[in-house]
Amino acid sequence: MLSLIVLAVTLTLVQGSAEVVRITLDKSITVKEGNDANIECHVKSHVNKTTVTWRRGDTKLTNDYRMTIDETLHEENEEDNTTTIISILSIKNVKEEDRDYYMCDVSYYHDAVNKTCYLRIKDRLAALWPAVGIIAEVIVLIVILFCTKKWGSIKGGRGESYSLKTTADTTTDNPPRNEEDIRLRSINT
């Protein structure tokens, strides 16, 4: 009878191990190139011996001249017996090659859970490219209009586009030469 009770407690601990530690981490963040990136990993744990590490791919990250890991014990809640840990991975002066998945890895007892965050790097000149595109379009349109105007002046003599002339237009272009022309033109109009 005693062995059944112990077995039930062990199963409960194993089944509930997924809820022992909860990680909150953004799926992705976007930072302008040259700025600093801060990726925050919030860990709520029911276990006293919780360790937080950061990884990039298979590489464990440590403090260096550009990357620092700051881990603070934020709060201990005695009501539900939890501890909240905030671990911040800071990357100074981010570059294009820093774009990657960063993993917050939380270890406790013989188990571990993790979540990843994708760091997106926005180009410094990203806001400039749409303006450059618009200016290029305007320049191309001006060149096209100038070339068609020039082509029309070579072809038509006055740079006018080709159009069909009506009989009323021809009366103003060609003055009458004699009375018969005047009579014919007045009948036509």
Side-chain angles (χ1 to χ4, degrees), residues 171-189:
T171 59
T172 57
D173 287 346
N174 297 328
R177 285 183 231 141
N178 57 28
E179 284 184 34
E180 191 175 313
D181 277 345
I182 294 172
R183 195 170 9 112
L184 287 174
R185 289 187 184 199
S186 61
I187 292 173
N188 290 335
T189 55

Side-chain angles (χ1 to χ4, degrees), residues 82-132:
T82 60
T83 303
T84 303
I85 301 169
I86 299 176
S87 181
I88 302 172
L89 173 65
S90 298
I91 306 171
K92 295 177 183 172
N93 191 21
V94 293
K95 299 176 182 171
E96 184 67 30
E97 54 266 13
D98 293 325
R99 174 181 287 157
D100 205 348
Y101 287 96
Y102 292 86
M103 181 185 306
C104 178
D105 194 13
V106 180
S107 305
Y108 58 95
Y109 295 132
H110 301 292
D111 205 358
V113 292
N114 58 49
K115 279 203 173 179
T116 57
C117 176
Y118 186 69
L119 178 62
R120 300 174 193 275
I121 309 300
K122 189 174 182 181
D123 186 20
R124 281 186 204 186
L125 304 175
L128 180 66
W129 297 122
V132 169

Side-chain angles (χ1 to χ4, degrees), residues 1 46 82 109 136 146:
M1 181 79 172
H46 291 280
T82 60
Y109 295 132
F146 180 75

Side-chain angles (χ1 to χ4, degrees), residues 11-27:
L11 287 176
T12 305
L13 180 62
V14 171
Q15 287 177 346
S17 66
E19 291 296 318
V20 173
V21 174
R22 180 174 295 150
I23 302 174
T24 306
L25 180 67
D26 291 334
K27 287 188 178 184

Side-chain angles (χ1 to χ4, degrees), residues 2-150:
L2 183 59
S3 64
L4 288 175
I5 293 172
V6 172
L7 180 62
V9 170
T10 307
L11 287 176
T12 305
L13 180 62
V14 171
Q15 287 177 346
S17 66
E19 291 296 318
V20 173
V21 174
R22 180 174 295 150
I23 302 174
T24 306
L25 180 67
D26 291 334
K27 287 188 178 184
S28 70
I29 63 168
T30 304
V31 179
K32 262 189 187 173
E33 188 176 11
N35 290 351
D36 296 345
N38 293 317
I39 306 173
E40 292 186 11
C41 181
H42 295 258
V43 179
K44 189 172 185 178
S45 173
H46 291 280
V47 182
N48 290 337
K49 305 253 181 195
T50 305
T51 308
V52 179
T53 56
W54 285 93
R55 296 187 181 281
R56 180 179 182 185
D58 292 334
T59 308
K60 182 179 176 182
L61 300 176
T62 57
N63 290 335
D64 64 8
Y65 72 100
R66 286 189 54 232
M67 288 189 191
T68 57
I69 299 170
D70 181 31
E71 190 173 301
T72 57
L73 179 65
H74 185 63
E75 154 187 335
E76 290 186 29
N77 189 344
E78 293 181 12
E79 286 181 16
D80 60 354
N81 196 25
T82 60
T83 303
T84 303
I85 301 169
I86 299 176
S87 181
I88 302 172
L89 173 65
S90 298
I91 306 171
K92 295 177 183 172
N93 191 21
V94 293
K95 299 176 182 171
E96 184 67 30
E97 54 266 13
D98 293 325
R99 174 181 287 157
D100 205 348
Y101 287 96
Y102 292 86
M103 181 185 306
C104 178
D105 194 13
V106 180
S107 305
Y108 58 95
Y109 295 132
H110 301 292
D111 205 358
V113 292
N114 58 49
K115 279 203 173 179
T116 57
C117 176
Y118 186 69
L119 178 62
R120 300 174 193 275
I121 309 300
K122 189 174 182 181
D123 186 20
R124 281 186 204 186
L125 304 175
L128 180 66
W129 297 122
V132 169
I134 291 170
I135 291 170
E137 285 182 36
V138 168
I139 290 171
V140 168
L141 287 173
I142 289 172
V143 168
I144 290 171
L145 290 173
F146 180 75
C147 288
T148 57
K149 186 78 168 169
K150 197 70 157 165

